[in-house]
Amino acid sequence: MTLSGQSILDFPVPQATHVVTARDAILYALSVGYGTDAPDAALKYVYERDLATAPTLANIVAHPGPWMQQTGVDWARLVHSEHRLAIHRPVPLDVPLISRSRVLSVVDRGVEKGMFVSFERLIATAERDEPIATIVQTNACRGDGGCGSAGSAPEPLSKVPDREPDLEFNVDIPVNAALLYRLNGDLNPLHVDPQAAGRSGFDRPILHGLCSFGYAGYAIVAAIDPGMASGLSAIAARFSAPIFPGETITVQMWRNHAEIRFRGLVASRGATILDNGMARLS
């Protein structure tokens, strides 16, 4: 198909269905840090008895797959650049779920400068259409551009406060983090195959953006409530630089009652890997 902003905006993103099992929920929680620092506090997320689902689990539920490959974009150079998750209720187990997606906008930066594509995914129960989560994802298509803009882009995420953070929490990303996280369904070889990473412009595989996003969600709750009794009703952030398995993320937080602003740093190389972050305690 001819690549244009309008053709991407009009692309019929397929619906997807999913039944989340206890095993799915436990695997996801383990893949984003639950149980690594305080196993007893996180037990409810990683043990099937009275199992609770991690707040960011909705990110992997009923995903429509790599549909943008079909639009004509340069798939090898596409990266996840921003993510917003609104959690309406915890992901239920053993209940058929459905997602419906639509493209919101294409922001063309010009030939050889790439473009940003934002799309919305609504997750609900299949039988009663009860809302579970609303997700807005933005992809940076670094190998495209010059196709024209279309639609209405989401409002920009706000910058974090210009002062010292109220809290900091360090999370160590295991060297096998990408190997584990991909079992949630994102099998993009960019995250495990050095040759695929090289074709995408990286000298080694990078961690899934949503893996670092899940670690940030874990870190925010663990820092504010070490007993892990709190949850999140929303979380959003911009992926500002790649992170590699084996690194340590320092999550800096600014708290204003139930709202948290945050960013993630890798101090060892002076990189901000998550920025303009916002989370809301449930």
Side-chain angles (χ1 to χ4, degrees), residues 132-234:
I132 302 298
T134 301
I135 294 167
V136 175
Q137 175 172 333
T138 300
N139 293 332
C141 303
R142 299 175 300 146
D144 301 284
C147 65
S149 298
S152 299
E155 289 292 320
L157 293 173
S158 301
K159 294 182 178 180
V160 299
D162 185 18
R163 60 178 175 82
E164 290 297 307
D166 300 318
L167 293 165
E168 289 190 347
F169 191 91
N170 291 329
V171 285
D172 297 324
I173 308 299
V175 294
N176 67 346
L179 301 177
L180 180 61
Y181 188 83
R182 73 192 301 267
L183 299 180
N184 293 308
D186 187 343
L187 303 179
N188 189 336
L190 165 65
H191 305 295
V192 295
D193 185 340
Q195 293 183 342
R199 289 192 294 270
S200 297
F202 301 101
D203 59 5
R204 53 185 164 133
I206 64 174
L207 190 66
H208 303 74
L210 283 181
C211 185
S212 62
F213 190 92
Y215 267 97
Y218 161 74
I220 290 166
V221 173
I224 292 172
D225 180 6
M228 303 294 289
S230 301
L232 298 174
S233 63

Side-chain angles (χ1 to χ4, degrees), residues 27 42 48 74 87 99 103 154 195 210 224 233 237 244 255 280:
L27 173 62
E48 57 273 16
D74 184 349
I87 304 159
S99 73
V103 180
Q195 293 183 342
L210 283 181
I224 292 172
S233 63
F244 300 97
R255 185 174 184 181
R280 190 173 300 112

Side-chain angles (χ1 to χ4, degrees), residues 1-13 67-68 70-73 102-107 115-119 141 144-145 147-148 150:
M1 65 188 299
T2 301
L3 182 65
S4 70
Q6 191 62 46
S7 69
I8 296 173
L9 188 72
D10 294 339
F11 187 86
V13 184
W67 59 271
M68 285 196 71
Q70 303 172 47
T71 66
V73 302
R102 65 188 179 104
V103 180
L104 299 176
S105 64
V106 178
V107 178
M115 64 181 179
F116 294 98
V117 178
S118 298
F119 69 100
C141 303
D144 301 284
C147 65

